[in-house]
Every structure is written in C-alpha cells, then in structure tokens.
Amino acid sequence: MSPLFSLFILLIITGATAQIRPGYYSGTCPKAESIVQDVMKAALIREPRSLASVMRLQFHDCFVNGCDASLLLDDTPTMLGEKLALANINSLRSYEVIDEAKEALEKVCPGVVSCADIIIMASRDAVALTGGPCWEVKLGRLDSLTASQEASDNIMPSPRSNATFLIDLFAKFNLSVKDLVALSGSHSIGKARCFSIMFRLYNQSGSGRPDPAIEPKFRQKLDKICPLDVDQNVTGDLDATPVEFDNQYFKDLVARRGFLNSDQTLFTFPETRGFVKQFNIDEGEFFKAFVDGMIKMGDLKVDQPGEVRKNCRVVNSRSSNFPNEF
Ligand code: HEM
Ligand SMILES: *[C@@H]1O[C@H](CO)[C@@H](O)[C@H](O)[C@H]1NC(C)=O
Ligand SMILES: *[C@@H]1O[C@H](CO)[C@@H](O)[C@H](O)[C@H]1NC(C)=O
Ligand SMILES: *[C@@H]1O[C@H](CO)[C@@H](O)[C@H](O)[C@H]1NC(C)=O
Ligand SMILES: *[C@@H]1O[C@H](CO)[C@@H](O)[C@H](O)[C@H]1NC(C)=O
C-alpha cells in the first residue's frame, strides 16, 4: 500500500468519525443551507407533497446504518441497494428534489456538501416551510460507499406495527417513547397508499374484520378511498391537513381517525397514549419534542468510511480516487 493511499484511508476514516456540528460549511460553502432551502421552496410550489416525501427520507436513511445517504444509491450489478427494500419500493419518492439540491450545490462549491447533509437540511426545511418548527442542524456527515437492501428490510417497520413493537425498535436507536410519538407526528404531512391499510380495513390480524379502533364514519370514508378491488397505489391523506405541519395528526388519533395502524396504535396502547393526548392539546410541546427527536435521529451514525459524493445516486468512481490501487 502506498503511503499516499494509507493517508487517504486515514482521512476518510477520520472524516467518518468526526463530530457533526452547526455551521460546518460556513467556511467552505457558506450558501449551502440557503441553496437547499431555495430548492425546497421551489419544490413546495411545484408539488406540495414532495416536502413530506423528502422529509421521510431522513427516517429511512438514518435508521439504516446511520445518516449516510446510503438510501440514495441506485442498485448496481454487484450491490442491491435500499431503494427496492420492502418499506421503500413503490413508496419512497422525490429523490429528484435531492438531486436538484445536489446539482445546485455542485455548481457553487463542487465536492463539498454531502448528500447525507442535504437530506438533513432538506428535511428541516420541509417542516419549516409547511408551518412547523425550525431548528439548527448539525452538519459534516459523509456519504456511504455502499448500501444494504437486507439491512433496510430487517429494520424499517411495517405499517401494521403496534406501539410496543415500535417502542422496542426506537429504543434500539436510543430514542424514547416520547421521541417515537413526536416523530410519528411527521405523518402530519403527506400521503400513504391503500396498500398500507388494506389489511386494516378488511382483515385486521387475520380476523376477516376491520380494525375495531377505526371510528365508523372514518372507516366508511377509507372504504371509499380503498375498496377491495382498488389499485393499491391509490393514496389517502395521513391526516386531515396533509400539507400543513401541525398537531392535527394527534387530534385525528384521539378521534380514532388515524390512517395507518401504526398511527392509531399510539392512542390505543397505554404506553404511548399520554403523549398523544398531550400533543393533541399542546402543539408547542409537540413541536419541541419533534425537534428533539429529529436532532437525535440526525445524530445516528455508524463508523464506516465515507466520501462526499458528486452524484447522490452513485459512489464516486474508484478509479478517480485511487488511480493505481484497484
Ligand atoms: C414510527 C414508525 C413509522 C412507521 C411504521 C411509518 C410508516 C409509514 C408508511 C407505511 C407510510 C406510507 C407509505 C406508503 O403507503 O407508500 C409513511 C409515510 C410517511 N412517513 Fe412514516 N412511518 C414511521 C415513522 C416516520 C418517521 C419517524 C418519519 C419522519 C420523521 C416519517 C415520515 C413519513 C412521511 C412524511 C410520510 C409521507 C410521505 C409521502 O407523502 O410521500 N415516518 N410512513
Ligand atoms: C405487538 O406486535 C408484536 C409483533 O408483531 C406482537 O408479537 C405482539 O403480540 C403485539 N402486541 C399486542 C399487545 O398486540
Ligand atoms: C445508545 O447509547 C449507548 C450508550 O450511550 C451507546 O453505546 C450506543 O451506541 C447508542 N446506540 C445507538 C444506536 O446510537
Ligand atoms: C385474512 O388473513 C388470514 C391470516 O393472514 C388469512 O388466512 C385469510 O385468508 C385472510 N382473509 C381474507 C378474507 O383475505
Ligand atoms: C404500484 O405501481 C408500481 C409501478 O407502476 C407497480 O409495479 C406495483 O405493482 C403497483 N403496486 C400495487 C400494490 O399495486
């Protein structure tokens, strides 16, 4: 191994373990945060739902091997990535908004801002631009060199999940019961497919019956959106105000008008009900807990080598990094 190559390895490893912090790009790309915000503003005008879709990327990225943009890698002949994982296929969307931010950043400060950080900035902006709280983000993450469909399949929760399962899952990431309930409040914006609730409407837990936790008038409404023979890609709103980030989601849960089983179970189960009731009457408390949860989720990392990708969908070509080594 050449000394130069060893130094390179040392640098990327050091980079991966470095602390993320606010203002990380203030010297190298001072406009980074405003460039991302401009792209998100344009996305809001073009398609309001895309802000929800982008915000969801933070959850699906950070839970699988840390916040490293592994989620954004396209499959290659030798790597099955995360895009086609169970929770993501035909479901995650608006990757092109991240691409647009990356292209804008590469024009101004090429090779500086990671795709992992773009997801974090864009998610913050999605919440703020739809009426939710704003917060300072820590930056300085690196992009992964690989991705794992299997890891995503093993980790990402199903819409059938109940509250105890979700409490245990979030605990594995050091996220509290309060974090779980607050972060589920992300479903204050966006939509979900009939595919995600068919079992709930027609065969909850294999009973051949609907979930008894659904308020009857709301169930009639859901049955109309998602009849038995529906194209299961048809979507319904996750709460009654799907383009406004507010505490309506919790009001809906208390009224037993939650869309997903994983949503409604937060009110049904006593372990989480207290927080649902609290956020339902106190939007400020929800916003505060949501911000805490997003920051904790953004801190998730796994110490693996990384890089700043030029294109969020592919790793930088090895030949350009290591002219003689591979
Ligand atoms: C607590 C466990 C969670 C479960 C089981 C869950 C599950 C789901 C499901 C099934 C959908 C709809 C997918 C589809 O039908 O195509 C969805 C949508 C969404 N999720 Fe979650 N989710 C959870 C937590 C989170 C978290 C922590 C966030 C972000 C902080 C998030 C953000 C979103 C958003 C914004 C949408 C709407 C996306 C769009 O309109 O494109 N979710 N979630
Ligand atoms: C919650 O879900 C888990 C995993 O699917 C299941 O084992 C458990 O019995 C469920 N708990 C309740 C109380 O329904
Ligand atoms: C959770 O916290 C413990 C103790 O601080 C730490 O060892 C562990 O790595 C953390 N887990 C995650 C997924 O961050
Ligand atoms: C409901 O689910 C159970 C268990 O998964 C299955 O055996 C049964 O055939 C399903 N019923 C219908 C009507 O789909
Ligand atoms: C949704 O649409 C995709 C792409 O057109 C298709 O492959 C998939 O089978 C559809 N999913 C369902 C549940 O109908």
Side-chain angles (χ1 to χ4, degrees), residues 170-175 296 299-302:
F170 275 57
K172 289 185 184 133
F173 297 94
N174 291 337
L175 295 168
K296 280 198 209 174
D299 284 344
L300 293 173
K301 64 171 183 176
V302 175

Side-chain angles (χ1 to χ4, degrees), residues 202-203 205-208:
Y202 303 108
N203 197 4
S205 312
S207 63

Side-chain angles (χ1 to χ4, degrees), residues 85-105:
L86 292 172
N88 301 344
I89 187 170
N90 298 325
S91 183
L92 287 188
R93 58 199 293 286
S94 301
Y95 297 113
E96 71 285 354
V97 177
I98 302 291
D99 292 336
E100 213 180 294
K102 181 64 180 173
E103 275 163 38
L105 287 163

Side-chain angles (χ1 to χ4, degrees), residues 105-315:
L105 287 163
E106 287 299 295
K107 276 191 194 132
V108 179
C109 12
V112 171
V113 181
S114 68
C115 300
D117 281 341
I118 295 174
I119 292 176
I120 297 292
M121 289 185 267
S123 298
R124 181 265 311 270
D125 296 338
V127 174
L129 289 170
T130 50
C134 193
W135 63 96
E136 186 170 59
V137 289
K138 290 182 253 179
L139 301 170
R141 295 167 191 77
L142 289 176
D143 301 325
S144 72
L145 304 178
T146 183
S148 167
Q149 189 168 105
E150 198 189 348
S152 176
D153 284 344
N154 289 337
I155 293 166
M156 295 316 294
S158 141
R160 304 187 185 208
S161 307
N162 62 38
T164 34
F165 177 85
L166 292 172
I167 289 171
D168 292 347
L169 175 69
F170 275 57
K172 289 185 184 133
F173 297 94
N174 291 337
L175 295 168
S176 67
V177 176
K178 189 174 186 180
D179 293 328
L180 162 66
V181 177
L183 287 171
S184 297
S186 58
H187 293 172
S188 173
I189 54 176
K191 291 169 177 276
R193 293 168 300 158
C194 289
F195 176 78
S196 299
I197 60 164
M198 291 308 274
F199 66 96
R200 188 176 183 226
L201 295 180
Y202 303 108
N203 197 4
Q204 178 80 333
S205 312
S207 63
R209 316 239 349 117
D211 176 2
I214 313 176
E215 188 270 314
K217 283 222 176 70
F218 187 62
R219 183 161 61 81
Q220 284 175 11
K221 188 178 158 182
L222 294 181
D223 283 353
K224 276 200 189 116
I225 300 169
C226 307
L228 263 172
D229 60 352
V230 75
D231 166 356
Q232 294 193 24
N233 283 318
V234 167
T235 57
D237 298 334
L238 279 167
D239 84 349
T241 58
V243 292
E244 272 159 65
F245 194 99
D246 54 16
N247 69 339
Q248 180 65 42
Y249 168 83
F250 296 104
K251 294 180 180 164
D252 290 348
L253 297 188
V254 170
R256 299 194 294 133
R257 291 168 154 260
F259 194 83
L260 302 174
N261 187 67
S262 54
D263 293 328
Q264 195 58 56
T265 183
L266 299 175
F267 184 68
T268 313
F269 279 52
E271 299 94 314
T272 41
R273 188 185 299 143
F275 290 118
V276 173
K277 284 187 174 168
Q278 185 186 17
F279 297 153
N280 143 75
I281 54 169
D282 188 345
E283 187 173 72
E285 189 55 34
F286 162 48
F287 282 3
K288 201 166 145 300
F290 183 80
V291 169
D292 288 348
M294 287 296 274
I295 291 172
K296 280 198 209 174
M297 188 162 70
D299 284 344
L300 293 173
K301 64 171 183 176
V302 175
D303 286 333
Q304 281 171 350
E307 64 180 6
V308 173
R309 276 181 222 145
K310 296 187 183 78
N311 171 343
C312 293
R313 295 171 183 259
V314 291
V315 298

